[in-house]
Amino acid sequence: GKQLELLLKVTESGARGYFPVSGLRLTLVHSSEPAEGKDLNGNRRIEPWEMDRFVSATLEDGSRLDPKRRYRVAIPDFLVSGGDDLEWVMSQFPKSQIIREGAIYMRDAAIAHLASHPDINSPSNPLVRPDAPRVTFVKSKPKGTVRRRGRR
């Protein structure tokens, strides 16, 4: 859970848009609003992917992430390899926790999965639900969650 939260902080920084998620509900600081940054990789400058727009994440049932629990995350191999500014955050995961299954391109796996699950995005199982959005934007972090740091 702790590593998943770190991954979400980087992927949801807004540096490359917002990372799509499934199975979670996120609250993020909107990109039009200021956000604090932290020099995560220690290079003495705050890069766009180090901006902290992440406020919180809950599972679909509303429960919070457990920092001690292990969660399974599926992301494209390009990102696991460090693409789109994920090199530093992926280096924070022990190699034993990164499992690369098969030798199939992500797009081919997605096509096969969608073909075998015709109920995805059906009236009874819609992908987009306005009554239960996966991401909610706020103007700023609630008091007590913003950590002020000196700027360089």
Side-chain angles (χ1 to χ4, degrees):
K2 186 176 179 181
Q3 290 170 314
L4 175 55
E5 210 167 278
L6 178 62
L7 178 65
L8 290 168
K9 283 182 183 195
V10 172
T11 59
E12 304 303 342
S13 67
R16 296 187 179 267
Y18 292 97
F19 194 74
V21 299
S22 178
L24 295 174
R25 301 213 185 280
L26 304 179
T27 301
L28 309 171
V29 175
H30 194 277
S31 61
S32 66
E33 300 296 328
E36 295 293 319
K38 182 178 179 186
D39 182 16
L40 297 172
N41 63 359
N43 68 354
R44 295 193 172 126
R45 66 177 186 260
I46 297 175
E47 299 173 65
W49 62 268
E50 294 172 308
M51 297 307 295
D52 187 3
R53 298 190 172 283
F54 178 81
V55 176
S56 67
T58 58
L59 300 175
E60 287 184 328
D61 67 5
S63 62
R64 296 187 80 62
L65 293 177
D66 179 348
K68 295 180 182 174
R69 183 172 171 208
R70 183 174 285 185
Y71 296 91
R72 183 177 295 233
V73 177
I75 61 175
D77 49 6
F78 166 74
L79 299 175
V80 171
S81 299
D84 280 354
D85 297 323
L86 293 188
E87 184 175 7
W88 177 84
V89 75
M90 292 311 301
S91 74
Q92 304 307 297
F93 288 79
K95 298 248 186 260
S96 63
Q97 290 182 0
I98 298 175
I99 302 167
R100 295 175 189 237
E101 295 182 1
I104 186 171
Y105 287 108
M106 187 69 178
R107 66 176 178 260
D108 295 332
I111 290 168
H113 179 76
L114 292 172
S116 67
H117 291 82
D119 63 330
I120 290 179
N121 204 26
S122 65
S124 62
N125 188 21
L127 286 175
V128 177
R129 292 185 48 207
D131 62 318
R134 291 184 183 165
V135 176
T136 303
F137 289 101
V138 295
K139 288 190 174 267
S140 62
K141 290 191 175 200
K143 298 239 185 290
T145 61
V146 176
R147 292 179 202 100
R148 299 280 179 206
R149 303 229 185 256
R151 296 186 186 213
R152 296 177 190 253

